[in-house]
Amino acid sequence: MLKKHLTTLFAITLLCTVSLNACATANKTLEEQAKSLNITASLVQNQKAPVTTQVKSIQPPLAPKKPHQEVRHGEIIHDNYFWLRDKENPEVLKHLKAENAYTESLTANLKPLQTQLYQEMLGRVQENKTSVAVQSGNNLYYTRYEKGKNYPIHCRKKNANAKEEILLDQNQLAAQYKYLNVSLFNVSNDGNLLAYAIDTKGDIRYNLIVKDLRSGKILSNSIQNITSLTWASDNTLFYVTADQTTNRPNTLWRLKLGSKPQKVIEEKDVEFSSQVSRTKDKKYILYTVSSKDTSETYYLDAAKSEGNLQIISKRAKGYEYLVEHRNCLWYIITNKGVNNQKAINYRIVTLPVGNSKGAEQEFLPHNQSVLINGIDLYKDFAVISEKKLGLNRFLVYSFQTKKWREVNFPDSVYTAFLGVEQESTREIINQPFDSNCFRYTYTSLVSPTAIYEQNLATGTQKIIKRKQVPNYDVSKYTTERVWAPVRDGVKVPLSIVYRKGVERNGQAPLLMYGYGAYGLGQEAQFDSNLISLLDRGVIYVIAHTRGGDELGKQWYLDGKLMNKKNTFNDFIDSAEYLISNRWTSPDRLLISGASAGGLLIGTVVNMRSDLFKAAHLGVPFVDIMNTMWDESLPLTTEEYLEWGNPHSKAAYDYMRAYSPYDNLAPKAYPAILLTTSINDSQVGYWEPTKYVAKLRTLKTDNNPLLLKINLEAGHQGASGRYEELKETAFKYAWMLSQVRF
């Protein structure tokens, strides 16, 4: 399936406000709340553990001020904590360890609750499990997990009853490292060679490994910093590497095993990144370069690996397109409309292979209210993924009958996407090109993931796998979608889930999730870990603010660049809507977001520090001005079209006005927890570290301000499923402790 590339980023936010009626019941005990929900008191007894009383007796580490200044557009910028970005400085590591020690001291009393949460979450995990098998060539490929082991085991069989062949046991590989992430898992056409990539630091810099599956011998392990790869028909490997300094994917290579890699093409424009892939029917290698608003694709016959790249359509500013292939035609998802009009939500056209200047034929027209997400092509059918009013649907087209049919879903809040996500690598796997059925994944905030297989011709379908969640009863929870009016007249969709019996009296704690960037819509998916919050009376809300693509491409455009402040206003106004409608109150409102979502949380905390009880910022992008000014840092130049180029005065002034780090002020702030990792290459560890150091000198309250640094991981946090659960348990324990009654 061809679809927009998504960055797996996590962000959560929680909003609470107080009304006069809510104040009348403010003395209601947590045990009474639990009783009204028929929840065992043991689930909540640890929630009352105080943390703020310890803040007065334990002094936080104070980072030394070391003067540093720069002049930008005539403004003298003073940054006394600039020195914290030097990871090689022993004083920096000493400070980070001091921050960890301080956080450990102030949260020591939460250990029983943290342990309880971990055990609860683990109790909802099926520790021995096997993924859905996917046919590729002559084999069925799948992954499985074994109880007590952190990582998956990649396997294949000739058929369902055949002997299992283990291709890669990540647990054995992980024994050599403190951190491990495996990606780009790809078997050659003949089934003899396996290529994959490993990251052993968390800095998202992967090394290429090629394994001969016949002998088990490693054929290559010296190529570094790869970002995508694919096999040609003759087992030539094509892969893209990233710039060593900026980590921008920019160079395509051709590797014949046993020979030196050959550079094919390098992308020089610093706003563009590169990717290599293969069409679903295996006929062509695709090399795509793209910025945030422009793209260009080249192709090469996969059976002629020594050939030259041919271009499909030359890049033009603002022209985006993605490509798939069937029966000598390119199927192109494009924003280029009819008569040079913009098809903002995309349309699909066809173009004969080898005729880049030929006339395009429209396959699926543009619809102003429906966003085209992707196309999954088969020998006799095409399946289109669309999004309307924040909800997904599919269209199935028969090339024989020339007719379309819709696949809709009855629920009000759900997520559905084509293919099956591999838990181990986060890659989406679809049925083979010549299949007579397609698969899709369905889930909601209360419904565990189910994988369906639908006959392309008849529409009949069956569930081939439903995620098993021990100790979970779906009948105890409910979900709904509401629309929050915001200050400029727009309505923002909010996805809500809670345990049945929660009272709408303004006293329920509420966790509100927000991200709002890169056009990455936040899906309403099931997360078994959340049940531990819901069972304690917490309401969970996803705020689908502008900056995502939930309501189409315009929803994204209205939350980026010089419209970025809409994202923050949407979040604040959604919080106030929840408060005024008695979902929660300010002293029960927790907010959390990660990466770009951390920027969102950092900004709204500056704008309305009175509105929130506590905030969690994960790997947060809070020092936006320093990062976007420095072109040597990873992602900076690629991000100019998302946030703005501060070297332009207009963009500088706009970004400067909301930058979390630059707008910290001497006032009272809510309780704040920041989590980060030292090897993060996407958002430097120094951003939250500087933020905490500066805020400690300004804030006028006694609320906790904590920083927790993983000294062995990167942007995605701890590796290994058990370690991930422990990190989540810590964050949940801290948030619950802030809304004790």
Side-chain angles (χ1 to χ4, degrees), residues 578-611:
L578 291 167
I579 292 165
S580 64
N581 284 272
R582 298 177 60 76
W583 287 96
T584 189
S585 56
D587 65 347
R588 298 289 182 268
L589 183 50
L590 311 168
I591 59 174
S592 174
S595 196
L599 181 148
L600 165 62
I601 302 305
T603 301
V604 300
V605 163
N606 278 337
M607 294 171 65
R608 289 294 307 275
S609 59
D610 63 308
L611 194 58

Side-chain angles (χ1 to χ4, degrees), residues 53-88:
T53 55
Q54 299 183 45
V55 176
K56 298 177 182 178
S57 58
I58 303 174
Q59 295 304 309
L62 296 177
K65 293 183 178 181
K66 299 185 179 183
H68 173 89
Q69 70 177 45
E70 298 180 22
V71 178
R72 301 171 183 169
H73 299 293
E75 180 185 12
I76 300 176
I77 305 297
H78 297 277
D79 188 357
N80 293 327
Y81 304 104
F82 187 87
W83 66 276
L84 286 168
R85 64 179 280 173
D86 182 6
K87 189 165 64 172
E88 303 305 317

